[in-house]
Amino acid sequence: MSLGKKTTVVKFVQAHVNGPSDIVYHPNGEHFFTHGSDNVQIWSKNGDSQKTVNEHTDTVTAIALSKAGDKFASCSEDRHVKVFAYNGSLTFDKNIARFSLPVRHVAWHSKGAFLAAGADDGLIKQFFAMDPGQCKSFKGHEGAIRFLQYDPKDVYLASSACDGTLRVWAPLADDDSKTLVKTIDGLIPAHKPDDAQLARFAWHPSGQYIAVPGSIDVKVIERDTWKVAYTLKGHSKAVSTVAWSNDGLYLASAGLDNQCFIWNTKDRIDIEKYKHTEQVVAFAWHPKLNSLAM
């Protein structure tokens, strides 16, 4: 989808079978990565499939690409977190971790030194990428982890879970008692791991805000005060995923009503609305253009 005087849907492709999926652009904008329950695929910017990767033995649940675009990670219901090198193609590097339960999400620290992963038991682990034996655990969620994302300022790690909470952690804190910074509840509806509520929040590119999908709207939370700065209303059912454009001006949201909104967050109004035949489960803004893959 391209933004302009008139929104244009450029191309539809059948990427994966039904099930969990995500989409991530490479920083150069020339390629993007997707996963479904079946595999991981690399695509050209024009939507042509270039390579399929099958390293997991069960449903792939999440993928992540480092900010530099040279490291890729995936996790699965096979309980493994796998790391790849990327230089035009994916080269398997190592199994960085094996959890006791299915792993639901994975995220890179912006410098690529750390990788966080979360599982069905609510446990989050942060690994030092060069030495997976150096691991730090974060406990607090009472439900399966849904989504993880590091703060663009490299201070916080935020997590959402089926218990309906958003938690903010200080993953590099020396004192473990100061690791949990804030628990925010009452915004994300509590749900089950197989529910359509995905709880995919998003840090603003400046790190100043977190957009949180709610029961029928999007709440934008201010950093450090952790209070609601403003609310975006338009969906008729629960919002499941949100994503900021790279310039921080636009926010995309999708909900269980099968609607997608594009919001101008400066004026706090919706500028585009699109009704899909199915629920949209993932967004990725092009790193250089005002276009959105979903």
Side-chain angles (χ1 to χ4, degrees), residues 122-159:
L123 179 65
I124 300 168
K125 292 184 178 182
Q126 176 179 261
F127 303 93
F128 183 56
M130 300 302 294
D131 181 7
Q134 295 188 39
C135 172
K136 190 172 185 178
S137 297
F138 309 112
K139 299 179 180 179
H141 283 294
E142 297 178 357
I145 299 301
R146 296 297 264 166
F147 193 76
L148 301 167
Q149 192 176 62
Y150 281 97
D151 156 33
K153 294 183 178 181
D154 296 332
V155 176
Y156 301 126
L157 170 69
S159 59

Side-chain angles (χ1 to χ4, degrees), residues 217-244:
D217 52 25
V218 179
K219 302 289 188 185
V220 179
I221 308 298
E222 187 175 29
R223 181 193 187 92
D224 294 329
T225 68
W226 311 118
K227 295 181 179 180
V228 176
Y230 58 90
T231 301
L232 302 172
K233 297 182 178 181
H235 286 280
S236 59
K237 293 183 180 179
V239 184
S240 58
T241 185
V242 295
W244 294 94

